[in-house]
Amino acid sequence: ALLCWSGSDLFSKIGSKPNDKNSHWKMVMAVGFCMGLHAAYEIFIGGVQITLDAMIAYLPASALYISSMILGYVALRYIELSLSSPICNSSGALAAVFIFLFLRESPELPVWIGVALVAVGVVSLGMVQLKEDDESRALRQEKSSVKYVKSLTALILPVIYCVLDAAGTVADSVILDTLDENVANVAYELTFLAMGVFAAFYVLVIRREKLTLRAEGPKLLGGICETAGQFAYIFALADTAHTGSAAAIISCYCALSVLWSRVFLREKLTWKHYLAIVVTFAGIVVLGIFDA
C-alpha cells in the first residue's frame, strides 16, 4: 500500500498536465477502468456477493471518496505534488475531529497530539506558500518539470479534498458496522467504474478528444497503483494483531510521494516548506499508530 499509493500520487501527477482541462476526467476513466476490473475479479473469482442494496448502502462513503479524488486530480494541475500530498493526507486528523464532533467518540490524548501536529503543519505550509514572493518561487522552480504561480486555488483544492475524504471516513465508520468490508470495497469500485464510464462519455463523445497511449499511459499506471494500493490496504489492516504498525507504515506514503516528486519531477521546496511538511508528517504517523 505504501509503494502503490505513493506511485499513484506520482503517476497521477505526471498525467495531470496544466494545459489539459480534462485531465481529471481522464484520471477518473483510468482509475474507474482498473477498479472495475478488480471488482470483476472479486465477484467472479473471489466470490464476493454484491447487490444493488449494498451499493446504495455504501453510496454516501463512495460519493465522498470519489468526489475528493476528482478534486485532488484537479489540484495536481495547479500545485506541486510535494505540497498537495501532505495536505490531502491530513484527512485522518480531520476525520478524528469529525468523529469526536458528530459521533461523540473521544480519542485518546496521543491522537489529539497528532491532530494538533497536522493542523500546525498544514497551516504553516499554507502560510509559507502564500507568503513566498514570485522571484523566490521562480528561482526555486528553475529546474522543475512544471512551473507554477501563486494561487489560492492551488491550496483550496487539496483542503477541500481533505474535508471530503475525512467525511468519507466518518461515513465509513458508520456504514461498515452493518456491511462487510469486502462487499463495501467492491461497491466502491463499481461506483468508481460508473463514474469512469460517465467520464469516458464526456471526454470521448461530448468533448471529442483523441487519446494516445503516450499521453494517457501515466494515468493508467496511476489507476493500477491506486487499485492495488486499496487492495493491499484492506488486507494490511485486516491483520488485527498488527493493525497499528501497518497503519503507521501506510501513513508514511505521503513522505514517499514527496521523495518521488523531488527525484522524478525535480520539485524543490524551501527549508520552511520542508519543516512544515515534517511536522505534518509527524502528526500523520502519530495518528497512524494510535488511531489505527
Side-chain angles (χ1 to χ4, degrees):
L2 171 78
L3 291 172
C4 288
W5 273 345
S6 65
S8 175
D9 274 358
L10 174 64
F11 291 121
S12 298
K13 176 61 179 175
I14 293 173
S16 300
K17 304 299 182 185
N19 60 350
D20 184 359
K21 294 182 179 180
N22 292 316
S23 63
H24 56 293
W25 290 122
K26 295 172 185 175
M27 272 303 309
V28 172
M29 287 171 56
V31 176
F33 173 75
C34 294
M35 287 199 174
L37 284 178
H38 183 255
Y41 170 84
E42 288 292 299
I43 294 170
F44 297 111
I45 298 178
V48 174
Q49 300 292 321
I50 186 70
T51 64
L52 181 60
D53 288 342
M55 290 188 63
I56 293 173
Y58 197 69
L59 188 58
S62 295
L64 288 165
Y65 284 139
I66 295 171
S67 298
S68 69
M69 290 182 68
I70 293 173
L71 285 176
Y73 295 142
V74 176
L76 290 176
R77 298 207 305 265
Y78 298 95
I79 192 172
E80 291 97 329
L81 174 61
S82 45
L83 292 173
S84 68
S85 186
I87 296 174
C88 289
N89 286 284
S90 300
S91 60
L94 193 57
V97 175
F98 282 172
I99 287 174
F100 172 70
L101 291 176
F102 300 113
L103 302 183
R104 300 301 178 184
E105 295 180 14
S106 182
E108 297 177 359
L109 178 61
V111 173
W112 286 122
I113 294 174
V115 170
L117 286 171
V118 168
V120 170
V122 170
V123 171
S124 300
L125 193 59
M127 291 178 63
V128 171
Q129 182 70 359
L130 290 176
K131 288 184 177 181
E132 187 179 32
D133 59 78
D134 294 338
E135 185 178 349
S136 299
R137 179 178 285 101
L139 184 63
R140 175 171 62 81
Q141 295 177 356
E142 188 176 1
K143 295 183 179 180
S144 176
S145 56
V146 181
K147 306 297 186 292
Y148 302 91
V149 297
K150 184 186 292 186
S151 169
L152 190 60
T153 302
L155 288 174
I156 289 176
L157 287 173
V159 169
I160 297 176
Y161 170 102
C162 181
V163 172
L164 291 175
D165 192 65
T169 301
V170 176
D172 242 347
S173 67
V174 174
I175 297 170
L176 290 181
D177 284 341
T178 59
L179 199 63
D180 177 75
E181 285 188 351
N182 288 321
V183 172
N185 188 55
V186 171
Y188 169 68
E189 290 179 329
L190 290 176
T191 305
F192 218 126
L193 173 62
M195 280 300 302
V197 172
F198 167 81
F201 180 80
Y202 176 76
V203 171
L204 301 176
V205 178
I206 297 178
R207 304 300 302 179
R208 298 178 181 273
E209 291 204 26
K210 304 294 183 183
L211 305 183
T212 64
L213 183 59
R214 181 176 181 179
E216 312 310 328
K219 298 183 182 69
L220 187 59
L221 289 173
I224 293 171
C225 287
E226 181 66 33
T227 305
Q230 180 72 17
F231 180 72
Y233 172 78
I234 291 173
F235 279 90
L237 296 191
D239 182 2
T240 54
H242 303 94
T243 298
S245 57
I249 292 169
I250 294 168
S251 69
C252 295
Y253 91 84
C254 72
L256 205 55
S257 297
V258 173
L259 175 62
W260 297 154
S261 67
R262 184 69 181 93
V263 173
F264 297 108
L265 304 178
R266 294 172 295 187
E267 293 182 359
K268 185 179 180 182
L269 304 178
T270 66
W271 68 268
K272 294 179 181 179
H273 285 102
Y274 285 121
L275 179 60
I277 288 172
V278 167
V279 173
T280 306
F281 172 64
I284 291 172
V285 172
V286 169
L287 286 167
I289 295 172
F290 291 99
D291 198 35

